[in-house]
C-alpha cells in the first residue's frame, strides 16, 4: 500500500509540472468506487486560479457526451466525485482508464484539460458462470485423461484480476500444471489416479479461482464427477469351500446348500449366474444349481457305495464374463442300505466221509458295501454240524470240517451261513450249500444174527432152499452190495459145497443133495458176506444145519429071520412052564427118537391064549401051561411098530413047534409050507418053486454044516443046550465094538436076502451103512479071515476077543441121562407108549443086555440039546445083527457113533471089497461042497439065508 500511495503522489507531481507549462493541464488519479462528494483534487490551486476567478468566470466542466462523474465545487475550488465511478463499467478491461474533461472559464474564456485517471480497486471477485459442473467418467479412465473446466471471470484487471485456480481435493484429479492463467485460457484437470467406482462412485471437487487483489477475492465452482462402472470385478464366492452332507437315498429335490457369490460391479456387470462347471464323476447328473439363486439340489440317486464324496465346482459368472469357481464338497452319508453279500468263490458238492478234520469245503467272500457299523459283518453257521467257519483274511472265510464225518450217520448237510451287519436295523443275508457226504467202504457187512441154525427135514429134494442168511452193509451202493460166499470147509471129509450152496446175491442157502438123517445129523459151515468195496470188507457167520429125522425107515426085524419058506420054528417043549421064553423078536429101526421106538404086538396067533409078546422087549412067552392038546404047529404074527408119525411097521412070522422031538416037528412042519397064509394062488407056485430049490440047497448046507459042526464038536463041546429054541447071541455080539470081526461079505448077503423080502431096502440105504465099522486094522483082519477059513468058528480067536474100543467106551461113558431132552423138539415130546422114552443109548444098552442074556443062556445049554439053535451059530448071528451104533444119537454131541470120516472112507473101501468078494463067492457057489458028505445031526428049518452063509463060508 505504501508503494501505491507513493506512486500516486509521484504522478500528481508530474501532472502539476506539465500544467504549469502547458497552460492548464492537470491530471489526477483517483481509485474507483470513491464515495460521492469525495475530493478528487484542488483544482483551483493546481491551476493557480483564484477562487474568484472561478466564480467570475463561471467555471464549468465540460465532458462532452460523457456522463459527469466529477463535479466542480467553485466555492472551494475542488473537484468532487459526483457519481460513483466503476472503473470496470467505465473502461472494462481497458487500462489505464481515465476520465478526460475540460474546465471552461468565461471572462476570459479559457479552458483547462483535466484528466482523472481512475485506478482499479479489487472490487470484483472471480466468478464462474456456473456454480457446478458435472462429469461422468468411467472408472476405467486412464490416468492422464484431461477434462476441461469452465473458466472463472474476474472483471478486475491487473493484479486484481484472476490470478490462479486450485482444485480440492486432489485425490484423483489435479489441475493441469503450468497452465497459463489467463482469462482466455481454459482450465483443465487431469486424472492422476484411477478411479474406482466401487470405492467412490461420485467425486465432488471444488475449483477455486483466486485474484490477486488485496484482500484477495475468490470464486468457486463445484465439480461433480460421477464414476461410471466398468466390469472390473469378478464375482467372488462367499465361501471358498462349501460343504454339504447328504444321506444316500435322499429324495430328489433335497437342498444341499446355497452358493452365493458377490460381484462388486454394478448392474449387469454385477449380476451373477451359477452353473456347475466341474462335471467329473457324473456330478452333473446328480446335482443342479439354481442359476439365479445358487441353490444346489439333488436331482439323482445318490449312492454312498458308488461315491462317498463329491467335489463340485460351481461357477459364478457375471454378465461381463468374469467368473469365480466355488467349490462344493458334498459328503455322502452312509445308510444301511446294503445287505452283506456272500459270494461263494469255490465249493465242493460232495466230500468223502473219511476227509480229515480241517478239510476245506467252501471258500466265500463276504462284503457289505456300507461303511462303519453298517458294513461290519458277523457271520454264523447253523449249529450241530461238524463244520466250522474260519476267517482267513479280511472278508474271506472258509468252511472246514471240524470233526469226523460219517455218511452212515448223516449223508447230507445243509450248511447255511448267515451274515448280518451291525447297522440299525441290521440287514442280513444267508446262503445254504448242500454238501453230500460220499461213501467210503468203512463198514463191513453185518449179519443179522451172530449165528444161524436151520432145520431141514431129511429126504429133502435137492435144490431146496433151506433158509436165507442176510447181512446188511451200512455203506452205500457198491460198497453196500453184499455177496455171500460159502467158505470152504469139509463136512465128514466132503467139501461143504457138495452139501449146500449159497446164492451169492440173495444169501439163500440151498441144499445141494438130499440129506439123510441116518447119515448125517447136522453140520456147520461158514458163510462169508463180502461187500463190493475196494478193498472189500467181509464178515462171516456160522450156519448150523440140523437135519431132522423123518420116519422113513420101517423097523427091521433082525430075528427071527424071515424067509419065504417060513420053515424056521422055535421049539417049545411040552413041558414048558407059564412064562417060558419062547423066543425074542429083535428088531431095529434106523431112524431115531420116536421114529425108532419100537413096540411089539401079537397080531395073529394060532392060539392067542398061549403066547404073548412083550410090548417093549419083543419077548414071546407062554402065558399058560402047554398042554398035549395044543397043536404042534403054532404060528404067531408079530407086528413091530415104530412110534413115528405116521408109524411104520414090520411084521414077522414066528413059527413055534410045540414038540419034544425033531421028528415030531418035522412031520408036523412038512405042510408048513402049505400054510394058509401062502394060499394065494400067485405066490403059492413061486413059493413052491423056491421051496424046492431051497430044499436042495438046504440039503447041501445041512451036509456041509453037519461036517463043520461035527468038527467043531470034536474040538469044543461048549454050546450044548437042552433048550434048543432059545435064540443064540454069541458073546461076540455083545461086544459092541466088534472091530474087524464083521464080515462084510455076509452083510452084503444079508442085504440081498432082505432085498427079496423088503423092497425098500435098497432105497433106504446102501448095505454098508448098516454094518459095524471096521477100523484101520480091518483090512488085515479080512485077509486073515480069508486065510483062516474057520476063524469065525473059533470063539476064542484073539481077533474076536478084542477088548472094546476105547473111543466107544468113552462115548458110552459120557452119554447123558435117560430122558430124551436135548434132541430136536419133536423128539423130546414123544407120544409113544413110553411115558419116559428111553434114549437110544439106553435102547442099545437094553438090546445089548438082551443079547448077552440070550448068549449066556445059550452057553448053558448042554450038548445034545443043540437042536434048532444051531441056526443061531455065530455066523448066523453076525450076519443078521447090524450095527446099532449109528442109530445111537448121543444128545449134546453132533457125532453119531459111526460118523467118522475115516470110517466112512473105509466103509466105501469095504463096499468095493465086498462087491469083489461077493463076485468070488458067486463063482465059488457053483463048486460042489467038499464037506457035504460029512455026517451031522439033523438040522431042521434052517433059513435059506443062514444056509447060504454057511455054504459060502465053506466055499471059502
Ligand atoms: C437239506 O435241504 C433240502 C432242501 O431244502 C432238504 O430236502 C433236505 O432234507 C435237507 N437235508 C438235511 C440233512 O437237512
Ligand atoms: C470169521 O469171523 C471171525 C470173527 O467173527 C474172524 O475171527 C475169522 O477170522 C473169520 N474167518 C474167516 C475165514 O474170515
Amino acid at each position: 500500500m505504501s508503494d501505491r500511495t507513493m506512486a500516486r503522489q509521484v504522478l500528481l507531481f508530474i501532472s502539476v509540472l506539465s500544467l504549469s507549462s502547458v497552460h492548464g493541464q492537470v491530471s489526477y488519479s483517483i481509485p474507483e468506487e470513491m464515495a460521492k462528494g469525495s475530493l478528487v483534487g484542488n483544482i483551483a490551486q493546481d491551476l493557480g486560479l483564484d477562487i474568484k476567478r472561478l466564480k467570475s468566470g463561471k467555471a464549468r466542466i465540460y465532458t462532452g457526451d460523457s456522463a459527469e462523474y466529477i463535479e466542480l465545487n467553485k466555492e472551494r475550488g475542488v473537484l468532487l466525485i459526483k457519481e460513483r465511478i466503476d472503473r470496470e463499467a467505465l473502461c472494462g478491461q481497458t487500462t489505464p482508464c481515465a476520465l478526460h474533461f475540460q474546465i471552461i472559464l468565461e471572462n476570459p474564456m479559457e479552458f483547462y484539460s483535466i484528466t482523472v485517471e481512475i485506478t482499479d480497486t479489487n472490487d470484483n471477485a472471480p466468478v464462474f458462470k456456473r456454480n457446478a459442473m458435472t462429469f461422468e467418467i468411467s472408472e476405467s479412465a486412464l490416468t492422464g485423461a484431461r477434462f476441461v473446466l469452465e473458466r472463472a471471470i474476474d472483471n478486475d484487471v491487473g493484479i486484481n484480476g484472476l490470478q490462479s485456480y486450485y482444485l480440492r481435493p486432489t485425490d484423483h484429479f489435479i489441475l493441469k500444471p503450468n497452465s497459463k492463467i489467463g482469462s482466455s485460457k481454459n482450465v483443465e484437470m487431469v486424472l492422476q489416479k484411477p478411479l474406482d467406482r466401487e470405492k467412490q462412485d461420485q467425486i465432488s471437487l471444488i475449483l477455486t479461482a483466486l485474484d490477486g487483489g488485496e484482500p484477495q477475492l475468490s470464486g468457486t465452482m463445484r465439480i461433480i464427477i460421477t464414476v461410471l462402472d466398468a466390469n472390473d470385478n469378478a464375482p467372488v464366492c462367499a465361501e471358498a469351500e462349501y460343504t454339504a452332507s447328504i444321506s444316500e437315498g435322499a429324495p430328489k429335490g433335497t437342498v444341499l446348500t446355497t452358493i452365493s457369490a458377490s460381484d462388486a460391479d454394478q448392474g449387469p456387470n454385477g449380476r451373477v449366474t451359477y452353473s456347475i462347471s466341474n462335471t467329473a464323476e457324473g456330478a452333473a447328473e446328480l446335482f443342479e444349481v439354481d442359476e439365479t439363486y445358487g441353490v444346489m439340489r439333488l436331482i439323482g440317486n445318490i449312492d454312498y457305495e458308488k461315491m462317498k464324496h463329491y467335489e463340485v465346482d460351481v461357477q459364478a459368472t457375471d454378465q461381463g464374463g468374469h467368473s469365480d469357481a466355488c467349490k462344493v464338497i458334498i459328503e455322502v452319508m452312509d445308510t444301511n442300505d446294503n445287505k452283506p453279500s456272500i459270494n461263494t468263490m469255490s465249493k465242493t458238492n460232495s466230500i468223502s466221509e473219511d476227509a480229515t478234520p480241517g478239510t476245506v469245503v467252501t471258500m466265500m467272500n463276504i462284503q457289505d458295501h456300507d461303511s462303519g457299523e453298517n458294513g461290519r459283518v458277523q457271520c454264523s453257521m447253523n449249529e450241530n454240524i461238524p463244520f466250522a467257519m474260519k476267517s482267513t483274511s479280511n472278508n474271506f472265510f472258509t468252511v472246514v470240517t471240524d470233526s469226523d464225518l460219517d455218511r452212515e450217520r448223516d449223508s447230507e448237510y445243509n450248511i447255511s451261513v448267515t451274515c448280518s451287519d451291525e447297522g440299525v436295523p441290521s440287514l442280513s443275508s444267508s446262503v445254504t450249500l448242500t454238501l453230500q457226504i460220499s461213501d467210503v467202504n468203512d463198514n463191513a457187512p453185518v449179519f443179522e444174527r451172530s449165528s444161524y441154525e436151520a432145520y431141514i427135514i431129511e429126504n429133502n429134494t435137492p435144490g431146496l432152499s433151506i433158509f436165507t442168511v442176510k447181512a446188511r452193509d451200512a455203506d452205500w451202493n457198491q460198497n453196500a452190495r453184499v455177496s455171500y460166499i460159502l467158505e470152504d470147509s469139509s463136512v465128514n471129509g466132503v467139501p461143504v459145497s457138495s452139501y449146500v450152496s449159497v446164492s451169492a446175491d440173495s444169501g439163500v442157502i440151498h441144499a445141494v443133495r438130499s440129506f439123510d438123517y441116518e447119515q448125517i445129523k447136522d453140520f456147520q459151515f461158514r458163510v462169508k458176506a463180502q461187500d463190493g468195496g475196494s478193498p472189500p470188507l467181509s464178515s462171516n457167520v456160522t450156519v448150523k444145519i440140523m437135519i431132522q429125522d423123518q420116519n422113513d425107515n420101517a423097523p427091521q426085524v433082525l430075528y427071527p429071520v424071515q424067509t419065504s419058506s417060513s420053515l424056521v420054528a422055535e421049539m417049545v417043549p411040552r413041558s414048558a412052564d407059564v412064562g417060558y421064553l419062547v423066543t425074542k423078536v429083535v428088531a431095529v429101526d434106523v431112524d431115531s427118537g420116536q421114529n425108532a421106538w419100537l413096540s411089539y404086538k401079537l397080531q395073529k396067533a394060532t392060539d392067542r391064549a398061549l403066547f404073548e409078546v412083550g410090548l417093549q422087549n419083543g419077548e414071546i412067552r407062554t402065558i399058560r401051561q402047554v398042554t398035549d392038546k395044543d397043536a404042534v404047529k403054532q404060528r404067531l404074527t408079530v407086528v413091530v411098530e415104530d412110534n413115528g408119525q405116521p408109524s411104520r411097521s414090520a411084521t414077522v412070522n414066528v413059527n413055534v413047534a410045540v414038540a419034544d422031538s425033531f421028528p415030531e416037528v418035522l412031520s408036523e412042519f412038512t405042510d408048513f409050507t402049505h400054510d394058509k397064509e401062502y394060499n394065494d394062488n400067485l405066490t403059492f407056485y413061486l413059493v413052491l418053486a423056491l421051496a424046492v430049490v431051497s430044499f436042495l440047497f438046504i440039503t447041501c448046507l445041512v451036509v456041509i454044516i453037519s461036517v463043520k459042526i461035527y468038527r467043531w464038536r470034536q474040538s469044543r463041546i461048549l454050546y450044548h443046550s437042552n433048550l434048543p429054541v432059545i435064540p443064540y447071541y454069541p458073546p461076540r455080539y455083545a461086544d459092541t465094538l466088534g472091530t474087524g470081526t464083521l464080515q462084510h461079505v455076509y452083510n452084503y448077503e444079508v442085504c440081498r436076502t432082505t432085498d427079496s423080502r423088503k423092497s425098500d431096502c435098497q432105497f433106504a440105504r446102501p448095505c454098508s451103512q448098516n454094518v459095524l465099522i471096521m477100523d484101520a486094522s480091518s483090512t488085515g483082519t479080512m485077509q486073515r479071515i480069508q486065510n483062516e477059513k474057520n476063524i469065525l468058528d473059533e470063539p476064542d480067536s484073539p481077533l474076536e476077543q478084542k477088548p472094546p474100543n476105547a473111543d466107544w467106551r468113552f462115548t458110552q461113558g459120557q452119554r447123558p441121562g435117560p430122558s430124551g431132552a436135548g434132541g430136536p423138539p419133536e423128539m423130546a415130546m414123544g407120544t409113544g407108549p413110553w411115558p419116559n422114552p428111553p434114549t437110544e443109548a439106553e435102547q442099545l444098552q437094553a438090546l445089548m443086555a438082551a443079547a448077552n442074556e440070550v448068549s449066556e443062556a445059550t452057553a448053558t445049554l448042554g450038548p445034545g440039546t443043540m437042536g434048532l439053535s444051531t441056526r443061531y451059530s455065530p455066523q448066523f448071528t453076525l450076519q443078521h445083527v447090524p450095527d446099532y451104533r449109528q442109530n445111537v444119537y448121543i444128545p449134546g454131541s453132533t457125532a453119531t457113533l459111526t460118523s467118522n470120516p475115516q470110517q466112512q472112507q473105509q466103509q466105501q473101501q469095504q463096499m468095493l471089497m465086498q462087491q469083489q468078494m461077493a463076485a468070488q463067492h458067486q463063482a465059488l457057489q457053483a463048486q460042489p461042497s467038499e464037506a457035504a458028505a460029512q455026517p451031522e445031526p439033523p438040522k431042521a428049518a434052517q433059513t435059506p439065508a443062514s444056509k447060504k452063509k454057511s455054504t459060502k463060508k465053506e466055499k471059502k
Side-chain angles (χ1 to χ4, degrees):
M1 273 312 156
S2 59
D3 286 346
R4 283 195 187 179
T5 312
M6 261 180 36
R8 202 183 294 167
Q9 287 173 341
V10 167
L11 192 58
L12 186 60
F13 177 70
I14 293 165
S15 305
V16 171
L17 284 176
S18 60
L19 201 51
S20 46
S21 57
V22 176
H23 227 13
Q25 187 163 353
V26 176
S27 285
Y28 292 101
S29 177
I30 60 166
E32 61 173 335
E33 304 284 341
M34 288 186 74
K36 220 189 258 183
S38 301
L39 177 71
V40 178
N42 197 344
I43 197 73
Q45 190 184 351
D46 292 336
L47 283 175
L49 293 171
D50 187 13
I51 299 191
K52 292 163 183 150
R53 175 52 203 141
L54 287 174
K55 286 180 178 171
S56 56
K58 296 183 195 156
R60 62 173 173 117
I61 289 176
Y62 174 71
T63 60
D65 304 336
S66 306
E68 285 183 21
Y69 293 100
I70 296 178
E71 66 177 350
L72 183 62
N73 190 328
K74 292 173 214 158
E75 284 83 31
R76 290 178 55 202
V78 283
L79 288 172
L80 293 172
I81 298 293
K82 184 187 169 190
E83 211 166 323
R84 198 171 152 258
I85 303 166
D86 184 7
R87 194 206 68 86
E88 283 77 25
L90 194 66
C91 306
Q93 289 297 309
T94 310
T95 54
C97 176
L99 290 174
H100 295 280
F101 63 90
Q102 285 88 29
I103 297 174
I104 301 169
L105 291 160
E106 294 174 3
N107 296 343
M109 197 108 89
E110 52 188 327
F111 78 92
Y112 300 93
S113 282
I114 309 285
T115 301
V116 176
E117 188 186 15
I118 296 162
T119 61
D120 186 38
T121 62
N122 194 22
D123 59 348
N124 287 291
V127 170
F128 291 96
K129 264 193 253 173
R130 290 183 286 178
N131 59 6
M133 205 179 167
T134 61
F135 288 93
E136 287 186 346
I137 303 171
S138 166
E139 59 180 326
S140 62
L142 298 174
T143 53
R146 288 179 296 174
F147 302 90
V148 177
L149 303 177
E150 200 183 75
R151 287 172 292 179
I153 293 166
D154 192 336
N155 288 330
D156 293 330
V157 293
I159 193 79
N160 291 327
L162 182 66
Q163 292 299 313
S164 63
Y165 294 97
Y166 65 93
L167 191 62
R168 289 285 181 276
T170 56
D171 298 345
H172 293 277
F173 294 95
I174 54 168
L175 292 176
K176 184 179 176 186
N178 300 323
S179 62
K180 286 245 176 59
I181 303 297
S183 50
S184 61
K185 288 284 182 185
N186 284 332
V187 181
E188 287 177 337
M189 66 178 181
V190 177
L191 181 66
Q192 68 153 359
K193 188 180 156 198
L195 295 173
D196 187 356
R197 189 201 66 79
E198 285 71 36
K199 274 185 199 156
Q200 201 176 8
D201 59 356
Q202 221 167 27
I203 300 172
S204 177
L205 300 175
I206 303 288
L207 180 65
T208 305
L210 284 177
D211 61 14
E214 189 74 36
Q216 198 170 32
L217 295 176
S218 65
T220 60
M221 178 176 68
R222 275 179 60 214
I223 298 169
I224 296 166
I225 299 167
T226 301
V227 182
L228 295 180
D229 186 50
N231 192 19
D232 59 346
N233 284 286
V236 175
C237 297
E239 291 172 42
E241 267 184 11
Y242 289 85
T243 54
S245 62
I246 185 166
S247 295
E248 57 175 333
K252 292 178 188 177
T254 304
V255 173
L256 290 157
T257 185
T258 302
I259 297 140
S260 69
S262 56
D263 192 313
D265 294 328
Q266 223 181 8
N269 290 338
R271 197 182 304 140
V272 179
T273 56
Y274 302 93
S275 64
I276 291 175
S277 64
N278 176 356
T279 58
E281 296 132 11
E285 283 84 61
L286 290 174
F287 308 105
E288 71 168 9
V289 173
D290 180 80
E291 191 183 80
T292 313
Y293 301 105
V295 176
M296 192 169 202
R297 285 194 173 84
L298 181 69
I299 55 166
N301 292 317
I302 200 157
D303 188 356
Y304 175 84
E305 284 68 42
K306 278 189 197 151
M307 201 68 185
K308 290 179 178 52
H309 81 271
Y310 294 89
E311 284 187 15
V312 180
D313 286 341
V314 174
Q315 191 164 22
T317 313
D318 62 21
Q319 301 300 300
H322 290 290
S323 66
D324 190 12
C326 309
K327 176 163 286 190
V328 183
I329 294 175
I330 299 161
E331 293 292 341
V332 182
M333 291 188 298
D334 188 41
T335 56
N336 194 18
D337 59 345
N338 284 286
K339 291 204 267 188
S341 70
I342 305 172
N343 304 310
T344 306
M345 295 156 67
S346 86
K347 65 168 179 175
T348 38
N349 289 322
S350 102
I351 182 172
S352 170
E353 62 177 318
D354 64 355
T356 51
T359 303
V360 176
V361 172
T362 187
M363 278 167 73
M364 43 183 69
N365 170 235
I366 291 151
Q367 284 179 323
D368 192 308
H369 294 294
D370 294 324
S371 66
E373 306 231 311
N374 294 339
R376 202 171 299 145
V377 177
Q378 300 283 349
C379 290
S380 65
M381 239 173 22
N382 47 336
E383 306 273 311
N384 300 327
I385 54 171
F387 299 95
M389 268 188 108
K390 275 190 186 167
S391 170
T392 50
S393 64
N394 215 9
N395 294 334
F396 287 90
F397 290 90
T398 53
V399 175
V400 298
T401 60
D402 74 344
S403 62
D404 288 326
L405 304 173
D406 185 4
R407 191 202 65 81
E408 285 71 38
R409 192 180 61 223
D410 291 301
S411 64
E412 178 187 81
Y413 289 99
N414 288 334
I415 304 172
S416 39
V417 175
T418 305
C419 295
S420 47
D421 61 29
E422 292 177 3
V424 178
S426 168
L427 297 176
S428 68
S429 56
S430 67
V431 70
T432 297
L433 54 131
T434 299
L435 184 67
Q436 305 285 344
I437 309 298
S438 63
D439 190 42
V440 166
N441 192 22
D442 55 354
N443 285 285
V446 175
F447 280 98
E448 285 173 342
R449 292 164 59 179
S450 59
S451 67
Y452 290 89
E453 276 188 7
Y455 295 95
I456 180 169
I457 296 173
E458 62 172 333
N459 302 320
N460 57 292
T461 53
L464 179 76
S465 72
I466 303 174
F467 79 115
T468 305
V469 293
K470 188 108 191 104
R472 301 197 182 282
D473 193 306
D475 291 324
W476 183 76
N477 204 11
Q478 191 65 28
N479 292 337
R481 193 162 295 155
V482 178
S483 44
Y484 302 91
I485 298 155
L486 180 65
E487 283 203 350
D488 249 358
S489 61
S490 64
V491 174
N492 295 340
V494 182
V496 74
S497 56
S498 65
Y499 283 86
V500 287
S501 68
V502 177
S503 162
D505 293 337
S506 61
V508 176
I509 294 178
H510 294 276
V512 168
R513 57 162 72 170
S514 179
F515 295 113
D516 184 359
Y517 177 79
E518 285 69 40
Q519 253 190 314
I520 182 164
K521 294 188 171 44
D522 57 39
F523 60 96
Q524 62 181 35
F525 54 90
R526 298 186 86 86
V527 175
K528 184 165 83 171
Q530 178 171 298
D531 62 27
S534 172
L537 298 175
S538 66
S539 60
N540 63 58
V541 72
T542 302
V543 179
K544 183 170 181 181
I545 305 279
M546 321 257 234
I547 296 153
Q548 289 180 341
D549 189 38
Q550 236 184 3
N551 194 19
D552 57 346
N553 287 287
Q556 241 183 316
V557 178
L558 303 176
Y559 181 83
V561 176
Q562 291 298 287
T563 65
S564 49
S565 63
S566 295
L567 283 175
V568 180
E570 310 292 339
M571 278 185 75
V572 178
R574 290 195 181 273
S575 58
D577 237 344
V578 174
Y580 175 80
L581 177 63
V582 179
T583 186
K584 179 178 170 112
V585 176
V586 178
V588 293
D589 191 314
V590 293
D591 292 324
S592 64
Q594 298 274 1
N595 294 337
W597 293 342
L598 304 180
S599 58
Y600 303 82
K601 282 173 203 153
L602 190 58
Q603 193 184 41
K604 247 188 320 187
T606 315
D607 184 351
R608 270 195 174 271
L610 187 53
F611 302 103
E612 67 165 9
V613 176
L615 182 66
Q616 291 169 32
N617 54 20
E619 287 175 351
I620 300 175
R621 290 177 185 272
T622 58
I623 52 174
R624 64 171 168 81
Q625 188 72 44
V626 180
T627 65
D628 289 344
K629 280 173 276 179
D630 289 324
V632 174
K633 280 195 299 184
Q634 296 281 341
R635 187 181 174 85
L636 308 176
T637 304
V638 175
V639 58
V640 184
E641 279 184 351
D642 63 24
N643 200 32
Q645 282 296 338
S647 152
R648 284 175 176 253
S649 63
T651 56
V652 61
N653 292 320
V654 181
N655 294 322
V656 178
V658 182
D660 286 328
S661 64
F662 256 140
E664 190 184 350
V665 175
L666 277 176
S667 63
E668 281 297 324
F669 271 73
T670 43
D671 58 347
F672 237 88
T673 50
H674 309 296
D675 194 292
K676 52 190 176 293
E677 195 176 332
Y678 294 93
N679 279 350
D680 179 74
N681 274 348
L682 183 64
T683 54
F684 174 75
Y685 293 108
L686 288 171
V687 170
L688 189 65
L690 200 64
V692 173
V693 174
S694 298
F695 183 75
L696 288 171
F697 239 88
I698 288 165
T699 314
C700 290
L701 282 171
V702 165
V703 172
I704 293 160
I705 290 167
S706 301
V707 172
K708 281 189 71 80
I709 288 173
Y710 176 76
R711 285 185 191 165
W712 177 65
R713 272 190 175 171
Q714 296 295 94
S715 56
R716 290 188 61 172
I717 313 165
L718 264 168
Y719 299 106
H720 288 190
S721 171
N722 292 324
L723 299 169
V725 290
I726 305 291
Y728 171 63
Y729 293 85
R732 186 171 47 192
Y733 182 70
D735 177 5
T736 50
L737 173 67
T739 308
T741 59
L742 185 67
Q743 296 303 301
H744 42 268
V745 283
Y746 304 144
N747 283 297
Y748 180 72
E749 289 302 321
V750 167
C751 282
R752 284 181 46 156
T753 309
T754 51
D755 276 355
S756 58
R757 186 173 54 86
K758 268 183 72 180
S759 61
D760 61 337
C761 178
Q762 60 192 154
F763 303 111
R765 67 186 55 80
C767 300
S768 62
Q769 290 176 352
N770 279 341
V771 304
L772 282 175
I773 302 305
M774 288 191 284
D775 64 12
S777 65
S778 63
T779 319
T781 308
M782 263 169 34
Q783 284 165 352
R784 246 178 294 170
I785 289 164
Q786 285 167 343
N787 293 337
E788 301 164 28
K789 293 182 178 164
N790 293 329
I791 193 154
L792 288 176
D793 297 339
E794 308 291 334
D796 287 339
S797 165
L799 288 165
E800 292 170 355
Q801 294 300 322
K802 260 191 169 177
N805 185 303
D807 290 342
W808 167 233
R809 276 189 313 222
F810 174 71
T811 314
Q812 258 190 325
Q814 67 175 10
R815 70 186 156 83
S819 99
E826 59 267 40
M827 282 168 65
M829 43 181 200
T831 52
W834 290 278
N836 253 332
T839 64
E840 286 97 341
E842 281 173 330
Q843 282 184 285
L844 179 63
Q845 218 179 18
L847 201 58
M848 298 304 169
N852 282 335
E853 200 178 293
V854 174
S855 164
E856 279 156 24
T858 314
T860 60
L861 295 176
T865 56
M866 178 78 174
L868 293 176
S869 69
T870 48
R871 308 193 292 276
Y872 308 120
S873 64
Q875 297 96 316
F876 166 79
T877 310
L878 278 170
Q879 285 164 18
H880 297 280
V881 178
D883 177 18
Y884 298 88
R885 288 181 297 166
Q886 65 159 339
N887 294 329
V888 177
Y889 170 72
I890 298 174
S893 147
T894 56
T896 60
L897 295 177
T898 57
S899 59
N900 180 330
Q902 285 177 342
Q903 286 179 341
Q904 286 193 343
Q905 270 185 317
Q906 287 166 2
Q907 275 182 314
Q908 287 170 344
Q909 287 172 353
Q910 283 175 345
M911 276 279 289
L912 277 173
M913 290 175 65
Q914 282 170 353
Q915 284 166 353
Q916 289 168 352
M917 290 168 77
Q920 284 179 343
H921 286 310
Q922 281 167 348
L924 285 169
Q925 273 174 343
Q927 295 171 4
S929 173
E930 49 184 75
Q934 286 197 349
E936 274 293 313
K939 284 177 187 172
Q942 264 194 308
T943 65
S946 62
K947 277 185 285 186
K948 265 199 226 167
K949 299 299 162 288
S950 304
T951 312
K952 275 178 255 164
K953 289 209 74 75
E954 290 302 324
K955 283 168 188 169
K956 272 195 249 173

